[in-house]
Amino acid sequence: MKLLRYGPPGQEKPALVAPDGSLRDLSQHVHDIDPRTLERKVLDELRALDPAGLPLVEGEVRIGAPVAAIGKLVCVGLNYADHAKESNLPVPSEPVLFMKATSAICGPNDQVIIPRGAQKTDWEVELGIVIGRKAQYVEREQALEHIAGYCIVNDVSERAFQHERGGSWDKGKGCDTFAPIGPWLVTRDEIADVRDLDLRLSVNDEVRQRGNTRTMIFAIDEIVSYISQFMTLNPGDVICTGTPPGVGAGMQPPQFLKPGDRMRLSISGLGEQCQDVVAWQR
């Protein structure tokens, strides 16, 4: 099942993608795609609906982030060995964790704003995990049971803020519009093998990143279990699982985003994002 939210920012309505690709409104069945909707019972009820009997969403509509009221955006850094290498950093022995501000969240096709004073704004296509059940001290063997589904996340990063301004990585990760999510939340049952998903990102139609989740250092179940040892994961929380090689900072010479650029991202079975890059304006 592919769930999404459509409409103007702050006024999004719930919907699903029907087998024929049409969007069908779910407002008569759930208020929103939020943490309550991610409960297994509610997802089963939505899965039992006949999409043909749901109202058709007609015309061009904006797609918002697929989950409302995301409580936490937890990120795993350097989770692909070849990305660690291009970053001139050692392969981690344990997952590297940092947080992205929830105020960075935007729709999958919304504009990405280069922040004031930015010099090195970069791209990162990532597989996102959406938590469906509270996870606290979860063993690896039970970790997947706590996942509602998966989505695409662009972990946009300002490298100068991240590496040259002192402190943690968070400064370069949480700027407004630095977390496009979606277009869909694809429920876990629809992904046959999360360890074999192709990731791709292009800038101005030039492919910059191409990878596969099978080259992750830490697998999905390991990530969920590990994070749950340090913090409680609640329904609606999103985990960004790391990016494959091909980021701008790793190019020779480095290349970064500028106003007028267009990013396009895709992951097998999870749809596609497309963002135009614009300059910050007062």
Side-chain angles (χ1 to χ4, degrees), residues 239-259:
I239 302 172
C240 306
T241 59
T243 198
V247 299
M251 299 178 70
Q252 298 297 330
Q255 297 184 29
F256 299 108
L257 295 168
K258 60 186 184 302

Side-chain angles (χ1 to χ4, degrees), residues 134-144 146 224-226 228-229:
K134 180 179 178 180
Q136 184 180 47
Y137 300 117
V138 172
E139 297 300 324
R140 185 171 179 178
E141 293 74 17
Q142 286 78 47
L144 294 183
H146 297 263
V224 172
S225 174
Y226 183 86
S228 77
Q229 310 305 311

